[in-house]
Amino acid sequence: MSITRYGAEGGVGTGGQKLPFSRAVEAGGWLKVSGQTPMTDGEIVEGGIIEQSRLAFENCFAIAKEAGYGVEDVVHVTVVLTDARYFQSFNKVFAEIFQDNPPARICSVQDLVVDCKVEVDLTCYRADRA
């Protein structure tokens, strides 16, 4: 089994810092997408939890698409919210994205190392790539 790393050269974080991890790693039909925040060009995009959640997912799906995976391949999502009051609004975005095929999920409330409201990661699987 081979391992493919996407973005291993390091992405760009807040303040232009080079990030020391892969954006995603694929092995045996599995794709793990690193946690994504509502960031564009190394800067957090302002907005409420709905806007920030949508952008965090868009960033995840852009990486998944680069690796050949789509929303239909998502089997698990990890979510970190910075405030429990965001939970219901986040769930609306989650339901909108996954509709009738929701993946498994864990959602926690924690501080994040960047000043935003949400971080999301994805685990995808494609049997044809196993």
Side-chain angles (χ1 to χ4, degrees):
M1 171 175 60
S2 65
I3 297 174
T4 303
R5 299 176 198 287
Y6 297 89
E9 67 281 357
V12 177
T14 55
Q17 69 173 329
K18 182 177 178 180
L19 300 176
F21 53 86
S22 297
R23 290 181 320 210
V25 175
E26 180 182 22
W30 293 93
L31 180 75
K32 297 286 289 182
V33 177
S34 291
Q36 298 298 304
T37 56
M39 189 177 292
T40 301
D41 298 324
E43 295 300 324
I44 297 296
V45 174
E46 294 298 318
I49 186 61
I50 289 176
E51 295 82 12
Q52 286 201 359
S53 297
R54 284 185 181 134
L55 183 54
F57 273 116
E58 286 173 19
N59 290 341
C60 280
F61 288 124
I63 295 166
K65 182 178 179 181
E66 174 187 342
Y69 292 76
V71 67
E72 67 280 2
D73 301 314
V74 177
V75 295
H76 188 268
V77 175
T78 303
V79 181
V80 177
L81 301 173
T82 58
D83 192 317
R85 293 174 290 186
Y86 298 150
F87 187 70
Q88 288 185 355
S89 295
F90 176 83
N91 273 341
K92 289 178 186 176
V93 174
F94 192 89
E96 168 189 300
I97 290 169
F98 293 106
Q99 299 180 12
D100 295 331
N101 299 300
R105 182 183 91 184
I106 186 168
C107 184
S108 64
V109 175
Q110 304 173 46
D111 290 334
L112 291 170
V113 296
V114 294
D115 188 21
C116 64
K117 296 170 174 56
V118 61
E119 183 170 355
V120 177
D121 80 14
L122 304 177
T123 301
C124 303
Y125 180 74
R126 283 187 47 183
D128 63 318
R129 296 178 73 154

